Amino acid sequence: MPTSDGETYGFKYVNGHPKNTAEGLQTVTAFGVLASVDTGYPLLLSEMTVLTALRTAATSALAARYLAPTGARVMAMIGNGAQCEFQALAFQQICGIDTLRLYDIDARATDKAARNLARSGLTVIPCASAQEAVTGAQIITTCTADKQYATILTDNMVGSGQHINAIGGDCPGKTELHRDILLRSDIFVEFPPQTRIEGEIQQLGPDHPVTELWQVMTGRAPGRTNADQITLFDSVGFATEDFSALRYVRDRLEDTGYYVNLDLLADPDDPRDLFGMVARAGGA
Ligand code: NAD
């Protein structure tokens, strides 16, 4: 996922392998690089598995600030894997959620999330089904991993006024919501050309109306306009989120003394004498 602002270039390498969990491996792993456009020199090489969870949670909660119903306190979280606690804490901090209703097809994932959130201040309620989890929730986050057109939410599970934060459907052939939910929702996306290929809206025609989140944030388009509206943030993860996260890490590191650029590059005294540097290091 590459991007640039003309001064800095960045990319994230990321996978998406739901089958990994069965083999004791993670579904999502990532690392990223920032580089100077002017010189092409790399500035930062960072792990991005944790950073992806942080930036995804931050983006989801930011979207919900504009789209969730006023006074929302209860969130259903369907899929309690690696992203779950990050999402929960972001919604607590940024949106004021105080109750979390958890559901996962694997009860061990729910137990893990409940344990990790035990001291968060959230009231955490493990549920026996997705239907039970969404009961009484004003916000529904779907964050499951399966490479297929799955139906985590059916049409009858979503009521008027709810906000859906759909995270898990993020590549071609992978969705979580029944198409009928999309037809009843006002849909908000990061970047339409990407989301139409990767998001829930791959189930809809190419002209189905969507609103870009930045337009809502800058006041150019309305977000939630009434209490009955169903809003859907169809999240797929956009390169500028990773770029911002990498630049944030760089900025935070700059003052710590840990931000050292030396070990990443060969550093010959004479820039044209690379061979001589290698030869001297080898004692030749
Ligand atoms: P994970 O494998 O750690 O967790 C996924 C969880 O979903 C597992 O606990 C699994 O048991 C559960 N699950 C699978 N099918 C289910 C079902 N039908 N009902 C309930 N639970 C079910 O994965 P993760 O790192 O938490 O990521 C989840 C998904 O989010 C992945 O598909 C990933 O690609 C996606 N993701 C999207 C973004 C984004 O920016 N939109 C960012 C990160 C991850």
Side-chain angles (χ1 to χ4, degrees):
M1 297 172 75
T3 194
S4 175
D5 60 5
E7 266 178 46
T8 313
Y9 165 82
F11 74 83
K12 177 171 86 170
Y13 172 90
V14 62
N15 74 328
H17 286 62
K19 69 170 183 51
N20 276 2
T21 319
E23 295 160 23
L25 301 171
Q26 298 171 92
T27 298
V28 175
T29 56
F31 70 90
V33 169
L34 270 187
S36 156
V37 169
D38 188 33
T39 63
Y41 273 36
L43 303 169
L44 175 74
L45 170 65
S46 173
E47 89 74 41
M48 288 196 78
T49 305
V50 174
L51 213 47
T52 294
L54 290 168
R55 70 80 155 134
T56 306
T59 306
S60 288
L62 178 69
R65 276 268 293 269
Y66 292 92
L67 302 176
T70 312
R73 291 286 172 269
V74 182
M75 178 161 87
M77 183 86 218
I78 301 173
N80 305 152
Q83 311 303 316
C84 172
E85 296 89 329
F86 296 89
Q87 289 279 328
L89 295 175
F91 275 83
Q92 180 188 28
Q93 289 296 317
I94 296 174
C95 305
I97 289 302
D98 60 24
T99 302
L100 190 67
R101 300 176 65 82
L102 296 174
Y103 173 68
D104 194 293
I105 43 169
D106 184 345
R108 289 171 303 176
T110 304
D111 290 347
K112 174 271 308 178
R115 214 169 37 244
N116 283 338
L117 293 169
R119 283 191 294 276
S120 65
L122 288 165
T123 300
V124 178
I125 304 170
C127 297
S129 66
Q131 175 73 64
E132 185 186 328
V134 302
T135 306
Q138 295 92 36
I139 300 175
I140 304 171
T141 291
T142 54
C143 195
T144 65
D146 208 350
K147 284 253 155 121
Q148 60 167 331
Y149 295 110
T151 307
I152 306 301
L153 293 181
T154 51
D155 193 29
N156 63 321
M157 290 164 72
V158 178
S160 70
Q162 283 179 316
H163 172 63
I164 306 167
N165 171 45
I167 301 296
D170 64 349
C171 72
K174 182 163 158 239
T175 56
E176 296 182 304
L177 309 185
H178 191 282
R179 185 174 180 275
D180 289 350
I181 298 172
L182 309 184
L183 299 176
R184 291 162 61 211
S185 304
D186 288 317
I187 302 172
F188 299 83
V189 303
E190 289 142 316
F191 182 57
Q194 181 182 345
T195 314
R196 289 195 193 280
I197 296 169
E198 298 181 350
E200 296 300 325
I201 58 172
Q202 62 187 286
Q203 302 180 70
L204 302 176
D207 299 324
H208 190 91
V210 298
T211 304
E212 294 184 51
L213 187 58
W214 72 268
Q215 295 178 311
V216 178
M217 292 168 62
T218 53
R220 291 172 208 212
R224 173 169 291 274
T225 53
N226 66 73
D228 294 332
Q229 187 182 10
I230 298 171
T231 49
L232 164 62
F233 177 46
D234 187 0
S235 161
V236 294
F238 187 41
T240 56
E241 294 155 24
D242 301 308
F243 191 56
S244 296
L246 281 169
R247 286 180 302 154
Y248 178 78
V249 169
R250 179 204 56 193
D251 293 349
R252 294 297 295 261
L253 281 176
E254 243 163 9
D255 298 333
T256 63
Y258 290 114
Y259 180 61
V260 184
N261 181 22
L262 298 179
D263 293 340
L264 217 52
L265 295 176
D267 188 24
D269 297 335
D270 172 352
R272 286 181 294 188
D273 191 15
L274 186 62
F275 185 86
M277 183 200 76
V278 174
R280 279 190 295 280

